[in-house]
Amino acid sequence: MAYAALTSLMGTVGKILQQNPDPEKGEEMKFLYETLGSLRAILEDSVKRSDLEMIKRLEAQTTQMAYALEDKVELAMESGILGSLNQIKGHIDSTMNDWMKIKTSYENHVKALPANEGFSPDSSKLSSQPENVMVGHNNELDLMLDHLTRGSRELKVVSIVGMGGIGKTTFATRIYYDPVIVSRFDTRPMVTVSQEFYVRRLLLGLLNSITSIPREICNESDGQLADRLRKGLKGRRYLIFIDDIWSTEAWDDMKLCFPDDGNGSRILLTTRNTEVAEYASMNEPPFHRMRLLSFDESWNLFHSKVFTKKGLSSEFEKIGKEVVKKCQGLPLTIIIVAGLLSKIHSLVEWGNVAEDVNSLLYECPDKQCSRLIDLSYRHLPHHIKACFLYFGVFQEDTEINVKRLVKLWVAEGFLEVEKDKNLEEVAKKCLEDLIDRSLVFADKGSTRNGKIKTCKMHDLLHGFCLREAQRENFLRVIQKKDDDLHAKPVLFHPKFHRRISILSCDNYKLYFDHDTYNKARSILFLGKPYYIPDIKLEYSCFKLLRVLDIATDTLRGNFPKDILCLFHLRYLAFTFAGSLDSPLDMSLWNLETFVFDYRVCGCIYFAEEIWRMEQLRHLKFSLNCLTQPSQEKCLVLENLQTFSGLNPLNCTKEVFKRIPNVKKLMILGHMVQYGESEMPDCFNDLASLGKLESLGFHIQTNINHLNLCLPPPGNFPQNLKKLTFIFTYMPWKNMDIVGMLPNLEVLKLRSSACIGEEWEPSENGFHQLKFLLLHCSDPNYWKATSDHFPLLEHLVLRDCYHLQEIPLDFADSLTLQSIEIENCERSVVTSAEQIQEEQRNLGVDDLIVRACRIRGCEDEDHISQSFGGS
């Protein structure tokens, strides 16, 4: 963590350089910044082949030195008195001398190495595949499909058992998404249990797989949720996928929710514990025990992760095959090794890493994984190590929102701007690197249009992150089960940890010891989102806090105004449902991300100081929270990239000129703010936002009130690529205007965005549209041809109750890749099947059709269908 700590310190010093008008002090800070850069460069060059224990000790010392110096500098920033830098320079010089000794030792070691043998593999042959690949197990797959779809009509538990890392989840997921399974079952809820399980989270997860969960359901008791789940499954043929269950107690807490209606329902279960599998299946042995891969299967998996079909030189192949043999057929071991070697392009370095790997692979497979994860971690570039360990702040086995992750990484300060890239782009590049190394997995189905929306981490990798992060004082996690606490207060001393992640704090009060001098930089409440804990935080004790994320839980009572005085905050996200006085004064001059969800009807306003917070990069409000900027006092927010929650009343020239570089804008309003008057014109000067790429309108009105009127196409920003309408009640004729936008690629029409019985697009529109979503915005008749959407790739229809069919002329489309249908009429699915069949007759076999929860269909065999090309 020394590299990340130095990068963070350099970022703090860099801010002082930008803001300090004193020439003498500025020169001192510039020299300090350059000295820190030299130290970081020496550290980066000195750790590759030297004594590991020596490195760990010196890295720990350097980390603590950087933390202490940053604390001193930031406290001085707040007071405005920095004082002498001589003592600081002395600490840095001493540390630099220690690193220089290691660097010299490494350089002498390199000189003793033989000359580079062979050549690097062609970088064009290296593969970057985010998706998890399953090889082998074809016969087992057929047996599993047969057992799940045939045989007894009684409810049965079909279990898959095996050690960690052997591929249980990958194999079960392959089964879950198989077209045979999708077409067989009416509904297929899925939930991951994990070692630390919470009954409420499991129930809500399963319910959410069956239907959309309204917010009020979250206030129901566990018993009410269980009853709702049981009723939701009653009478339906279901497959429930329960992944990674560790205990019989977890099964006992769920099993009564699964009715047996004698219709062939099944439960697919993965576990490491044979006892759990036998217990769940009424003492029957596990149906399938995962085997280790054969050598050929192992080599195919390794090859798919490292190289493309072009092949590789015999020297690299020889080393690769020796390493694969030592992996003993354990898939996770193979992909970790493959991820490590895929980033190394020198034959000599391959040989060196192979030696390290071979020395670890004489262990049993379980220990192999832990040792290999440690080896992969040590070979990570310095700037990515902190990003990797940061996954420890999240709950095990959860899907992680990439946008949120990126904003957190940026706020933490351990990323450095690269040439021609902003910090968000650097963060995404780091995530892609971790995915390429198979240390993080892009979640299935989240990579449409090349963008990763969510990611996950294997529990063995997550466990390593947690242990290593806590060992290095990078992170402290609070996670205790409800039954262990009995509502007793928990005292926590965060003196030695920079980050505090609270994953479970329900049914008890969390106190922080105010007498402990606290230097925590981040506090994140990332546990179960449906509990409201009694949080007692004395925010004034956290003067150096950078990240405060309480968005998952809801604060009640009086508004915690102390939060708005935390000078060093860069990331603030919270949900509030209490009382407050408005407007609220803010002094958060370093804030970069501000997410505020207000759960009470009414208005709240932050004082106009928010228009002077020039570091802001991302703003998200659940309703209008901003006053109009004044001409004299407010600044141009040049760093602002995304803004969600701008009221139509504030769509003025004065506001738009304050946010010239915004790329994503969501305009949010409610009819109670307008009364019977006309809705404000949101489009005056909107075209002045030349960098805007994504625009949304969420206007909470009704069909008898106001609706959104669109201006001519020239009034829209011309670089617009994505457009979303929610509750706008526009006539379908307005889509002719939208169709004329020259660069529009994504159109989402949600929740009565358009109304009317018929949609007939005009000619010569939607030239660039690739993605179209219709959600609760459906005409009875959709009269269109493929010529109206010449580049359409993905069509999604959800809750379109009135739509009769998809235009059959879509069969002529040369670009259409997928049609997704949910909760629509059976005739809509039939039209999609016809389009797919006609394309097959024309020799096009790529179109995938997915359908679920089809309305008005009593024949359970046709409730949910999925058809795909080869």
Side-chain angles (χ1 to χ4, degrees), residues 101 150 527 564 664 796:
K101 293 175 185 177
R150 298 177 183 272
L564 304 181
K664 180 178 180 180
V796 181

Side-chain angles (χ1 to χ4, degrees), residues 824-835:
C824 299
E825 295 296 328
R826 172 65 199 168
S827 59
V828 176
V829 179
T830 301
S831 64
E833 295 172 16
Q834 291 175 323
I835 291 169

Side-chain angles (χ1 to χ4, degrees), residues 354-374:
E355 287 180 16
D356 291 340
V357 170
N358 288 338
S359 68
L360 301 176
L361 294 182
Y362 289 104
E363 305 271 4
C364 67
D366 251 347
K367 289 183 179 179
Q368 280 182 17
C369 278
S370 296
R371 298 286 184 92
L372 280 170
I373 294 168
D374 181 66

Side-chain angles (χ1 to χ4, degrees), residues 51 138 211 218 255 267 310 405 440 477 514 652 825 862:
D51 179 73
N138 291 329
T211 185
C218 301
K255 66 181 181 181
I267 296 172
K310 293 180 180 179
L405 178 67
V440 176
V477 172
H514 300 158
T652 64
E825 295 296 328
H862 292 85

Side-chain angles (χ1 to χ4, degrees), residues 393-452:
V393 308
F394 298 100
Q395 198 131 17
E396 181 183 273
D397 286 325
T398 55
E399 289 184 18
I400 300 164
N401 182 282
V402 167
K403 289 180 181 178
R404 184 187 199 182
L405 178 67
V406 163
K407 291 169 187 173
L408 286 168
W409 281 354
V410 169
E412 292 286 359
F414 42 66
L415 298 175
E416 186 178 23
V417 176
E418 297 179 7
K419 186 178 180 181
D420 300 326
K421 285 188 175 69
N422 61 32
L423 284 170
E424 285 79 6
E425 291 168 335
V426 172
K428 290 173 185 176
K429 182 181 174 184
C430 291
L431 178 60
E432 289 167 3
D433 198 333
L434 290 171
I435 291 171
D436 288 346
R437 295 170 184 270
S438 298
L439 297 176
V440 176
F441 303 106
D443 200 42
K444 185 177 179 66
S446 79
T447 55
R448 185 189 289 139
N449 298 330
K451 293 183 180 180
I452 303 170

Side-chain angles (χ1 to χ4, degrees), residues 150-162:
R150 298 177 183 272
S152 170
R153 295 184 65 83
E154 295 180 355
L155 175 65
K156 281 193 172 295
V157 177
V158 180
S159 55
I160 301 172
V161 176

Side-chain angles (χ1 to χ4, degrees), residues 425-484:
E425 291 168 335
V426 172
K428 290 173 185 176
K429 182 181 174 184
C430 291
L431 178 60
E432 289 167 3
D433 198 333
L434 290 171
I435 291 171
D436 288 346
R437 295 170 184 270
S438 298
L439 297 176
V440 176
F441 303 106
D443 200 42
K444 185 177 179 66
S446 79
T447 55
R448 185 189 289 139
N449 298 330
K451 293 183 180 180
I452 303 170
K453 293 183 179 179
T454 61
C455 60
K456 292 182 76 171
M457 178 176 274
H458 192 281
D459 53 5
L460 289 177
L461 289 156
H462 183 271
F464 173 86
C465 286
L466 212 50
R467 291 190 302 273
E468 186 67 18
Q470 297 194 139
R471 185 189 69 78
E472 297 194 27
N473 294 330
F474 180 75
L475 169 69
R476 165 70 196 272
V477 172
I478 299 175
Q479 179 171 250
K480 294 190 176 183
K481 291 184 65 174
D482 306 354
D483 296 341
D484 299 333

